[in-house]
């Protein structure tokens, strides 16, 4: 039965009061009913409040996928504070930057977080302290957020170096989750299986927030592995999950037994283009529809989706979600007709409020209400979006966005490097992997192993180049700009 989605501000209390013993969220260690989830949020909010957290503050969470992360997020929201999820794979330097840039007041993390928080003189809450040891008093966890209170600060790598904080408020998240609930027909009978990491907006909004607002339940899976994935499907009986093409490719390549997928209504694919042939293979082999979509953090996660109960067009990323406009814009700023290629632009209540502390950059990306994605695409006669290319040089490795400029900035720290360029090389499993090209300063030599060691010290593992090639010089055009097209061809040879 379809019901009006619960408001974020009183979601935990409403679920607890209307159906206290119904399953809410679980992981490998904890299974919380609506009542226990609400009690945990109340207790966590009281702890955060004791550290002075209130409206306008930021709480950082650096945890693997777990119930505690979701509890902390709702606790911070109840106080009017924002949450910034931190990828645990980041180096100390990268984590410190995010904590300082977001002005985080508290860091919720495991053992490693204590030293990081101490160095910045902020509070640290250990994961073991998030869930109450006994029953917590019922009640309202906090005053609740306003629609214009910031909810999430999602860090996304930029083409100009350090990652940028994408500011999403509660109005953004409400509009986005409303659209997903409507498009996917989510109800209290749905259970999502969370596969993607919770430091990404996809996992937070699609698998958690939209499902909980629809009164459904969430199963938080451990780190993805083919065998355990199917066991979780068969034992927890989810109705949907969201994943990236790499996961589907691994499921196809490494599943060697019959699996029971009868609980699944559909599965979602995003983060990178999925080959139409792979979509067809997954649907035929495992018996559930795969709906491919498109979006980015700056639009609160999704802009288009192939319909579950309508014509799905492999090779496209679907139609605009309810409440959004997706169009193609030419270089002159005019919207283009169906069939014409240009920049994909998005307009709607889901579009971010801006980049944290970067009003000039925000003004170049959001113009006249349109979010400029930097992606090239075209709409067909039915409004389905076909992605043609990327204006950006972004590399998508297993669903993780990597911007070459961030890697290049690190490589330039090597004293013998005169110039460098990082490009993506196709990979059958990961989609793309980064390859670095370097040229030495006159009279100097470069040991590729030293460049790799430098990247290992500074960059998260998924950002590190899989190969470093040394050339006498890098190819350039007539104005001296490095030509990456030639290097991409060379990386594939």
């Amino acid at each position: 039965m379809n019901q009006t989605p619960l408001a974020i501000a009183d979601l935990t209390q409403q679920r607890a009061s209307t159906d206290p013993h119904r399953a809410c969220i679980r992981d490998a260690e904890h299974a919380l009913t609506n009542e226990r989830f609400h009690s945990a949020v109340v207790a966590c909010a009281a702890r955060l409040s004791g550290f002075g957290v209130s409206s306008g503050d930021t709480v950082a969470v650096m945890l693997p996928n777990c119930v505690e992360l979701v509890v902390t997020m709702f606790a911070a929201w109840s106080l009017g504070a924002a949450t910034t999820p931190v990828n645990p794979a980041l180096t100390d330097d990268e984590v410190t930057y995010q904590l300082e840039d977001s002005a985080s007041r508290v860091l919720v993390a495991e053992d490693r977080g204590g030293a990081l928080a101490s160095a910045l003189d902020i509070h640290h809450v250990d994961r073991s302290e998030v869930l109450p040891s006994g029953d917590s008093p019922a009640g309202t966890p906090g005053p609740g957020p306003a629609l214009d209170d910031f909810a999430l600060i999602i860090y996304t790598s930029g083409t100009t170096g350090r990652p940028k904080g994408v500011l999403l408020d509660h109005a953004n998240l409400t509009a986005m989750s409303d659209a997903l609930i409507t498009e996917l027909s989510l109800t209290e009978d749905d259970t999502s299986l969370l596969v993607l990491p919770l430091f990404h907006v996809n996992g937070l909004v699609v698998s958690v927030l939209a499902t909980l607002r629809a009164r459904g339940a969430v199963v938080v899976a451990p780190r993805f592995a083919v065998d355990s994935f199917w066991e979780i499907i068969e034992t927890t009986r989810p109705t949907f999950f969201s994943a990236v093409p790499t996961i589907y490719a691994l499921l196809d390549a490494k599943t060697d037994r019959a699996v029971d997928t009868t609980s699944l209504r559909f599965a979602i694919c995003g983060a990178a283009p999925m080959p139409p042939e792979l979509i067809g293979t997954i649907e035929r082999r495992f018996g559930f529809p795969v709906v491919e979509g498109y979006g980015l953090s700056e639009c609160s996660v999704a802009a288009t989706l192939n319909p579950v109960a309508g014509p799905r067009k492999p090779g496209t990323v679907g139609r605009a979600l309810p409440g959004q406009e997706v169009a193609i814009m030419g270089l002159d700023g005019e919207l283009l007709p169906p069939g014409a290629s240009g920049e994909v632009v998005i307009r709607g209540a889901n579009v971010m409020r801006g980049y944290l502390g970067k009003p000039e950059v925000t003004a170049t990306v959001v113009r006249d209400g349109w979010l400029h994605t930097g992606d090239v695409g075209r709409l067909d006669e039915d409004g389905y979006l076909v992605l043609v290319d990327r204006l950006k040089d972004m590399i998508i490795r297993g669903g993780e966005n990597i911007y070459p400029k961030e890697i290049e900035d690190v490589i330039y720290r090597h004293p013998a490097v005169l110039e460098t360029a990082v490009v993506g090389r196709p990979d059958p499993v990961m989609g793309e992997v980064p390859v670095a090209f370097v040229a030495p300063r006159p009279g100097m030599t470069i040991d590729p192993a030293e460049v790799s060691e430098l990247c290992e010290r500074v960059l998260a593992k998924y950002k590190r180049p899989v190969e470093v090639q040394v050339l006498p010089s890098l190819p350039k055009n007539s104005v001296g700009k490095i030509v990456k097209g030639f290097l991409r061809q060379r990386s594939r040879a």
Side-chain angles (χ1 to χ4, degrees):
M1 179 179 64
N2 289 314
Q3 293 178 297
T4 302
L6 296 170
I8 298 174
D10 55 6
L11 182 150
T12 66
Q13 189 169 27
Q14 284 293 315
R15 289 182 63 113
S17 61
T18 57
D19 202 347
H21 304 299
R22 190 180 183 91
C24 181
I25 185 168
R26 61 178 289 189
D27 60 15
E29 298 180 22
H30 306 284
L32 304 186
T33 62
N34 286 333
E35 186 175 57
R36 288 191 62 203
F37 180 60
H38 175 63
S39 295
V41 169
V42 171
C44 185
R47 185 171 181 80
L48 295 177
S49 180
F51 289 133
V53 174
S54 61
S55 180
D57 287 328
T58 303
V59 175
V61 187
M62 186 174 68
L63 293 173
N65 282 10
C66 59
V67 164
E68 291 91 337
L69 194 158
V70 179
V71 167
T72 302
M73 180 174 69
F74 276 93
W77 289 352
S78 75
L79 299 171
T83 302
T84 186
V86 183
N87 181 354
L90 296 181
T91 64
D92 287 356
D93 177 72
E94 292 166 321
V95 174
T96 298
Y97 167 77
Q98 184 170 337
L99 296 177
E100 290 183 320
D101 189 66
S102 63
S104 292
R105 194 179 186 96
V106 177
L107 172 62
V108 180
E110 295 180 314
D111 293 342
R112 176 187 171 206
L116 289 167
S118 177
L120 295 176
D121 195 25
I122 64 176
H123 298 287
H124 170 240
V125 176
D126 190 80
R127 174 182 174 179
S128 63
E129 301 170 331
V130 173
L131 298 182
S133 56
D135 293 333
S136 296
T140 303
L147 284 175
D148 60 354
D149 280 337
F150 292 129
L152 292 173
I153 307 177
I154 301 292
Y155 277 78
T156 178
S157 295
T159 56
T160 55
R162 287 289 201 177
K164 302 185 295 294
V166 175
L167 291 169
L168 302 176
D169 64 16
H170 284 275
N172 290 144
L173 299 189
T174 298
M176 186 72 259
S177 52
D178 278 347
L180 292 167
I181 291 168
T182 299
E183 183 69 19
L184 299 172
S185 300
L186 298 180
T187 72
E188 62 183 9
D189 295 325
D190 280 298
T191 298
S192 68
L193 175 64
L194 176 65
V195 179
L196 300 178
L198 281 172
F199 52 80
H200 278 180
V201 72
N202 190 321
L204 289 168
V205 178
V206 179
S207 298
V208 175
L209 184 58
T211 306
L212 293 181
R213 290 193 64 217
R215 299 173 176 80
V218 177
V219 175
V220 181
R223 187 172 181 175
F224 173 79
V226 173
D227 291 342
S228 62
F229 176 82
W230 291 123
E231 290 178 4
I232 294 169
I233 291 283
E234 292 166 337
T235 56
T236 64
R237 308 290 293 169
T239 58
F240 77 97
F241 66 90
S242 180
V244 297
T246 298
I247 288 178
Y248 291 103
L250 291 171
L251 291 175
D252 179 47
K254 296 190 175 184
T255 300
D256 55 8
R257 67 176 179 88
V259 295
D260 180 3
T261 63
T262 54
S263 68
L264 292 171
R265 288 204 296 122
F266 61 90
I268 303 171
C269 183
M274 184 167 173
E277 297 80 9
L278 180 57
I279 293 177
T281 297
I282 295 295
E283 291 185 336
R284 289 189 299 271
R285 183 174 181 189
F286 299 116
F288 53 82
V290 177
V291 295
E292 188 174 14
Y294 164 77
L296 55 164
S297 298
E298 287 86 343
C299 74
S300 303
V301 71
T304 68
L305 194 66
N306 268 284
V308 175
R312 296 192 300 278
K313 296 186 179 184
T316 79
V317 289
R319 307 174 302 195
L321 286 165
Q324 297 188 46
E325 296 177 77
V326 176
I328 306 299
M329 186 174 288
L331 294 176
D332 58 1
E334 296 295 320
L335 298 184
L336 301 177
S341 294
E343 184 179 14
V344 180
V345 292
I346 302 164
R347 185 162 64 181
N350 58 303
V351 171
M352 69 171 180
R353 295 299 172 250
Y355 294 115
L356 176 63
K358 300 182 184 298
E360 298 86 1
V361 180
T362 300
T364 66
V365 175
V366 183
R367 305 193 297 271
D368 298 324
W370 288 104
L371 172 65
H372 289 251
T373 67
D375 293 320
V376 179
R378 65 177 182 272
L379 293 171
D380 70 11
E381 294 292 340
D382 299 317
Y384 287 69
L385 177 62
V386 179
L387 294 177
V388 177
D389 203 347
R390 290 195 295 270
L391 295 177
K392 307 168 186 175
D393 289 326
M394 184 175 68
I395 300 165
I396 303 179
R397 181 181 191 173
E400 294 281 0
N401 294 346
I402 305 170
Y403 286 86
K405 182 66 166 58
E406 186 179 4
I407 305 173
E408 291 162 359
D409 286 348
V410 171
I411 294 175
Y412 272 122
R413 299 182 190 180
H414 192 289
V417 171
L418 174 65
E419 52 191 11
T420 183
V422 175
V423 300
R425 181 174 71 195
D427 183 87
V429 174
M430 303 307 294
E432 292 177 295
V433 292
V435 174
F437 291 88
V438 295
R441 295 182 181 276
M444 302 184 73
T445 59
I446 299 174
D447 182 352
E450 291 181 358
V451 176
S452 295
E453 290 169 2
L454 172 61
C455 293
E456 288 175 4
R457 290 198 303 271
V458 181
L459 296 169
K461 186 175 181 180
Y462 69 87
K463 299 178 184 177
R464 300 169 191 165
V466 299
E467 182 181 0
V468 177
Q469 294 190 29
V470 180
L471 302 177
S473 64
L474 301 187
K476 303 175 189 67
N477 62 16
S478 58
V479 296
K481 185 176 180 179
I482 295 173
V483 179
K484 288 191 173 183
F486 174 84
L487 296 176
R488 291 189 184 95
Q489 294 176 0
R490 184 182 177 97
S491 74
R492 299 171 183 177

